[in-house]
Amino acid sequence: MNGISSTLEQEIKKTKEEKHKEKFKLLLTIVLTNIMVALLCLQTKEEAQIKKSSRTLHLNYQVMVLPLSAMLSEEALESPETAVTLYTKDNQLISRKAFLHEQIRKDQDITYFKIEIANTDVHKVSEHLNQEMVGIPYIEIPETKKSRPAFRGSRYEVHL
């Protein structure tokens, strides 16, 4: 004999147990690899969102995070971009047109938003950084043509 001291029944049991172990290992391997792939995909999606949101969308604008009281509707706050006009609490105009992107965080009563500010208005905004600002919806007012003053009389001169 070749050194086997067990019966045929014991050998059959061992092969059944080994088959169960192999099936368990296969199922465990499939589940773990699927979890790993899902985690890798989720991480790349988050990185892509961060990269996408950190760039400016308009020429001659800079992205800043500012404390802001937004007087906007919920729909406007949830939209990806909203045009706003920035004022101080004392009603001083800071920026005629800025683009509100998203809410970053909320500390006590102050809410911080990511805003695109025109390069020409960055200096004004930096002067009021320690104050909370107010954002209202931007309304574009078309420039009207300057009308000529109305003259009385005729356009012709009469010489006598």
Side-chain angles (χ1 to χ4, degrees):
M1 304 227 170
N2 54 5
I4 299 175
S5 62
S6 60
T7 62
L8 183 60
E9 191 177 312
Q10 289 174 345
E11 289 296 321
I12 293 173
K13 276 187 176 180
K14 285 183 182 177
T15 57
K16 285 184 180 178
E17 288 176 2
E18 287 176 5
K19 286 182 183 177
H20 289 298
K21 286 182 183 177
E22 290 297 322
K23 286 182 182 177
F24 179 72
K25 287 180 183 177
L26 177 67
L27 289 174
L28 186 64
T29 305
I30 290 172
V31 169
L32 288 176
T33 53
N34 285 339
I35 290 173
M36 295 285 282
V37 169
L39 288 175
L40 289 173
C41 289
L42 288 176
Q43 289 176 354
T44 57
K45 287 181 182 177
E46 289 175 3
E47 290 174 4
Q49 289 176 352
I50 292 170
K51 289 178 184 175
K52 180 181 172 185
S53 62
S54 64
R55 64 183 185 139
T56 59
L57 300 176
H58 302 91
L59 292 176
N60 300 322
Y61 279 79
Q62 292 183 3
V63 176
M64 298 179 82
V65 176
L66 299 172
L68 183 71
S69 293
M71 296 185 178
L72 301 167
S73 66
E74 291 295 323
E75 296 168 354
L77 289 174
E78 291 174 2
S79 70
E81 177 179 276
T82 305
V84 293
T85 302
L86 297 179
Y87 288 96
T88 62
K89 290 280 187 178
D90 303 328
N91 293 331
Q92 293 176 348
L93 178 67
I94 298 174
S95 177
R96 184 166 305 283
K97 186 173 185 181
F99 296 98
L100 183 72
H101 285 285
E102 62 183 304
Q103 179 178 342
I104 301 296
R105 68 179 186 272
K106 186 170 186 172
D107 294 337
Q108 298 166 355
D109 296 336
I110 301 172
T111 308
Y112 289 87
F113 287 92
K114 185 190 306 185
I115 303 172
E116 277 189 74
I117 307 288
N119 289 341
T120 56
D121 296 333
V122 170
H123 180 68
K124 291 180 191 175
V125 171
S126 63
E127 291 175 357
H128 301 286
L129 275 179
N130 54 356
Q131 301 176 20
E132 186 175 358
M133 298 174 209
V134 178
I136 61 169
Y138 173 74
I139 300 172
E140 188 168 349
I141 301 171
E143 292 183 21
T144 58
K145 293 182 179 179
K146 293 182 180 178
S147 60
R148 295 182 188 172
F151 292 106
R152 293 187 179 175
S154 67
R155 297 190 312 183
Y156 303 102
E157 292 183 16
V158 178
H159 294 281
L160 297 176

